[in-house]
PDB file of all heavy atoms in Angstrom:
ATOM      1  N   PHE A  39     -18.332  51.295  -4.218  1.00 97.00           N
ATOM      2  CA  PHE A  39     -17.862  51.962  -5.380  1.00 97.00           C
ATOM      3  C   PHE A  39     -17.163  53.233  -5.097  1.00 97.00           C
ATOM      4  O   PHE A  39     -17.575  54.010  -4.240  1.00 97.00           O
ATOM      5  CB  PHE A  39     -19.133  52.335  -6.268  1.00 97.00           C
ATOM      6  CG  PHE A  39     -19.877  51.155  -6.724  1.00 97.00           C
ATOM      7  CD1 PHE A  39     -20.991  50.681  -5.932  1.00 97.00           C
ATOM      8  CD2 PHE A  39     -19.697  50.610  -7.894  1.00 97.00           C
ATOM      9  CE1 PHE A  39     -21.700  49.574  -6.395  1.00 97.00           C
ATOM     10  CE2 PHE A  39     -20.388  49.449  -8.307  1.00 97.00           C
ATOM     11  CZ  PHE A  39     -21.406  48.996  -7.620  1.00 97.00           C
ATOM     12  N   GLU A  40     -16.005  53.438  -5.775  1.00 97.00           N
ATOM     13  CA  GLU A  40     -15.296  54.615  -5.559  1.00 97.00           C
ATOM     14  C   GLU A  40     -14.819  55.205  -6.916  1.00 97.00           C
ATOM     15  O   GLU A  40     -14.028  54.463  -7.590  1.00 97.00           O
ATOM     16  CB  GLU A  40     -14.001  54.489  -4.645  1.00 97.00           C
ATOM     17  CG  GLU A  40     -13.224  55.662  -4.490  1.00 97.00           C
ATOM     18  CD  GLU A  40     -11.799  55.435  -3.852  1.00 97.00           C
ATOM     19  OE1 GLU A  40     -11.527  54.280  -3.466  1.00 97.00           O
ATOM     20  OE2 GLU A  40     -11.134  56.407  -3.640  1.00 97.00           O
ATOM     21  N   GLU A  41     -15.234  56.300  -7.306  1.00 97.00           N
ATOM     22  CA  GLU A  41     -14.887  56.876  -8.674  1.00 97.00           C
ATOM     23  C   GLU A  41     -13.477  57.400  -8.492  1.00 97.00           C
ATOM     24  O   GLU A  41     -13.168  58.166  -7.560  1.00 97.00           O
ATOM     25  CB  GLU A  41     -15.795  58.008  -9.074  1.00 97.00           C
ATOM     26  CG  GLU A  41     -15.398  58.604 -10.526  1.00 97.00           C
ATOM     27  CD  GLU A  41     -16.379  59.563 -11.009  1.00 97.00           C
ATOM     28  OE1 GLU A  41     -17.562  59.724 -10.452  1.00 97.00           O
ATOM     29  OE2 GLU A  41     -16.083  60.188 -12.033  1.00 97.00           O
ATOM     30  N   LEU A  42     -12.573  57.050  -9.357  1.00 97.00           N
ATOM     31  CA  LEU A  42     -11.184  57.437  -9.298  1.00 97.00           C
ATOM     32  C   LEU A  42     -10.988  58.726 -10.115  1.00 97.00           C
ATOM     33  O   LEU A  42     -11.666  58.988 -11.095  1.00 97.00           O
ATOM     34  CB  LEU A  42     -10.283  56.425  -9.801  1.00 97.00           C
ATOM     35  CG  LEU A  42     -10.419  54.994  -9.126  1.00 97.00           C
ATOM     36  CD1 LEU A  42      -9.419  53.976  -9.700  1.00 97.00           C
ATOM     37  CD2 LEU A  42     -10.136  55.075  -7.600  1.00 97.00           C
ATOM     38  N   LYS A  43     -10.046  59.528  -9.679  1.00 96.00           N
ATOM     39  CA  LYS A  43      -9.818  60.809 -10.313  1.00 96.00           C
ATOM     40  C   LYS A  43      -8.287  60.898 -10.503  1.00 96.00           C
ATOM     41  O   LYS A  43      -7.467  60.357  -9.736  1.00 96.00           O
ATOM     42  CB  LYS A  43     -10.166  61.938  -9.394  1.00 96.00           C
ATOM     43  CG  LYS A  43     -11.684  61.978  -8.994  1.00 96.00           C
ATOM     44  CD  LYS A  43     -12.485  62.496 -10.133  1.00 96.00           C
ATOM     45  CE  LYS A  43     -13.943  62.677  -9.794  1.00 96.00           C
ATOM     46  NZ  LYS A  43     -14.794  62.967 -10.804  1.00 96.00           N
ATOM     47  N   GLY A  44      -7.865  61.734 -11.495  1.00 93.00           N
ATOM     48  CA  GLY A  44      -6.431  62.077 -11.669  1.00 93.00           C
ATOM     49  C   GLY A  44      -5.453  60.912 -11.710  1.00 93.00           C
ATOM     50  O   GLY A  44      -5.621  59.920 -12.393  1.00 93.00           O
ATOM     51  N   ALA A  45      -4.479  61.086 -10.773  1.00 93.00           N
ATOM     52  CA  ALA A  45      -3.448  60.100 -10.787  1.00 93.00           C
ATOM     53  C   ALA A  45      -3.908  58.745 -10.258  1.00 93.00           C
ATOM     54  O   ALA A  45      -3.326  57.723 -10.561  1.00 93.00           O
ATOM     55  CB  ALA A  45      -2.335  60.599  -9.743  1.00 93.00           C
ATOM     56  N   GLN A  46      -5.042  58.743  -9.534  1.00 95.00           N
ATOM     57  CA  GLN A  46      -5.620  57.446  -9.089  1.00 95.00           C
ATOM     58  C   GLN A  46      -6.069  56.588 -10.309  1.00 95.00           C
ATOM     59  O   GLN A  46      -5.842  55.384 -10.359  1.00 95.00           O
ATOM     60  CB  GLN A  46      -6.823  57.671  -8.194  1.00 95.00           C
ATOM     61  CG  GLN A  46      -6.649  58.160  -6.864  1.00 95.00           C
ATOM     62  CD  GLN A  46      -7.897  58.391  -6.179  1.00 95.00           C
ATOM     63  OE1 GLN A  46      -8.890  58.981  -6.771  1.00 95.00           O
ATOM     64  NE2 GLN A  46      -8.030  57.913  -4.952  1.00 95.00           N
ATOM     65  N   LYS A  47      -6.502  57.261 -11.269  1.00 95.00           N
ATOM     66  CA  LYS A  47      -6.979  56.562 -12.579  1.00 95.00           C
ATOM     67  C   LYS A  47      -5.776  55.932 -13.231  1.00 95.00           C
ATOM     68  O   LYS A  47      -5.874  54.864 -13.632  1.00 95.00           O
ATOM     69  CB  LYS A  47      -7.660  57.625 -13.526  1.00 95.00           C
ATOM     70  CG  LYS A  47      -8.977  57.999 -13.050  1.00 95.00           C
ATOM     71  CD  LYS A  47      -9.483  59.228 -14.001  1.00 95.00           C
ATOM     72  CE  LYS A  47     -10.648  58.672 -14.813  1.00 95.00           C
ATOM     73  NZ  LYS A  47     -11.087  59.769 -15.617  1.00 95.00           N
ATOM     74  N   LEU A  48      -4.741  56.667 -13.396  1.00 91.00           N
ATOM     75  CA  LEU A  48      -3.551  56.153 -14.068  1.00 91.00           C
ATOM     76  C   LEU A  48      -2.932  55.061 -13.322  1.00 91.00           C
ATOM     77  O   LEU A  48      -2.604  54.049 -13.860  1.00 91.00           O
ATOM     78  CB  LEU A  48      -2.472  57.368 -14.240  1.00 91.00           C
ATOM     79  CG  LEU A  48      -1.273  57.009 -14.940  1.00 91.00           C
ATOM     80  CD1 LEU A  48      -1.572  56.593 -16.437  1.00 91.00           C
ATOM     81  CD2 LEU A  48      -0.251  58.174 -14.966  1.00 91.00           C
ATOM     82  N   ALA A  49      -2.828  55.159 -11.925  1.00 91.00           N
ATOM     83  CA  ALA A  49      -2.273  54.097 -11.142  1.00 91.00           C
ATOM     84  C   ALA A  49      -3.097  52.853 -11.293  1.00 91.00           C
ATOM     85  O   ALA A  49      -2.583  51.790 -11.354  1.00 91.00           O
ATOM     86  CB  ALA A  49      -2.193  54.485  -9.638  1.00 91.00           C
ATOM     87  N   ALA A  50      -4.463  53.031 -11.312  1.00 94.00           N
ATOM     88  CA  ALA A  50      -5.311  51.814 -11.418  1.00 94.00           C
ATOM     89  C   ALA A  50      -5.198  51.227 -12.763  1.00 94.00           C
ATOM     90  O   ALA A  50      -5.080  49.923 -12.853  1.00 94.00           O
ATOM     91  CB  ALA A  50      -6.686  52.262 -11.102  1.00 94.00           C
ATOM     92  N   LEU A  51      -5.099  51.931 -13.758  1.00 91.00           N
ATOM     93  CA  LEU A  51      -4.922  51.418 -15.141  1.00 91.00           C
ATOM     94  C   LEU A  51      -3.641  50.636 -15.331  1.00 91.00           C
ATOM     95  O   LEU A  51      -3.472  49.598 -15.741  1.00 91.00           O
ATOM     96  CB  LEU A  51      -5.053  52.491 -16.125  1.00 91.00           C
ATOM     97  CG  LEU A  51      -6.498  52.957 -16.471  1.00 91.00           C
ATOM     98  CD1 LEU A  51      -6.437  54.259 -17.409  1.00 91.00           C
ATOM     99  CD2 LEU A  51      -7.377  51.913 -16.942  1.00 91.00           C
ATOM    100  N   ARG A  52      -2.588  51.285 -14.729  1.00 86.00           N
ATOM    101  CA  ARG A  52      -1.222  50.786 -14.784  1.00 86.00           C
ATOM    102  C   ARG A  52      -1.200  49.477 -14.109  1.00 86.00           C
ATOM    103  O   ARG A  52      -0.481  48.551 -14.539  1.00 86.00           O
ATOM    104  CB  ARG A  52      -0.232  51.750 -14.165  1.00 86.00           C
ATOM    105  CG  ARG A  52       1.216  51.322 -14.233  1.00 86.00           C
ATOM    106  CD  ARG A  52       1.880  52.047 -15.322  1.00 86.00           C
ATOM    107  NE  ARG A  52       3.326  51.683 -15.172  1.00 86.00           N
ATOM    108  CZ  ARG A  52       4.064  51.478 -16.278  1.00 86.00           C
ATOM    109  NH1 ARG A  52       3.577  51.617 -17.441  1.00 86.00           N
ATOM    110  NH2 ARG A  52       5.274  51.191 -16.167  1.00 86.00           N
ATOM    111  N   SER A  53      -1.859  49.267 -13.043  1.00 86.00           N
ATOM    112  CA  SER A  53      -1.844  48.038 -12.230  1.00 86.00           C
ATOM    113  C   SER A  53      -2.553  46.799 -12.954  1.00 86.00           C
ATOM    114  O   SER A  53      -2.405  45.722 -12.684  1.00 86.00           O
ATOM    115  CB  SER A  53      -2.506  48.199 -10.849  1.00 86.00           C
ATOM    116  OG  SER A  53      -3.858  48.339 -10.905  1.00 86.00           O
ATOM    117  N   GLN A  54      -3.359  47.286 -14.004  1.00 84.00           N
ATOM    118  CA  GLN A  54      -4.127  46.308 -14.752  1.00 84.00           C
ATOM    119  C   GLN A  54      -3.429  45.812 -16.064  1.00 84.00           C
ATOM    120  O   GLN A  54      -3.871  44.957 -16.770  1.00 84.00           O
ATOM    121  CB  GLN A  54      -5.445  46.836 -15.131  1.00 84.00           C
ATOM    122  CG  GLN A  54      -6.334  47.119 -13.924  1.00 84.00           C
ATOM    123  CD  GLN A  54      -6.609  45.872 -13.120  1.00 84.00           C
ATOM    124  OE1 GLN A  54      -6.919  44.851 -13.513  1.00 84.00           O
ATOM    125  NE2 GLN A  54      -6.282  46.095 -11.826  1.00 84.00           N
TER     126      GLN A  54
END
Side-chain angles (χ1 to χ4, degrees):
F39 296 90
E40 177 189 3
E41 185 174 347
L42 303 181
K43 302 282 186 188
Q46 290 178 314
K47 290 171 108 178
L48 184 60
L51 288 171
R52 181 102 172 141
S53 73
Q54 299 299 310

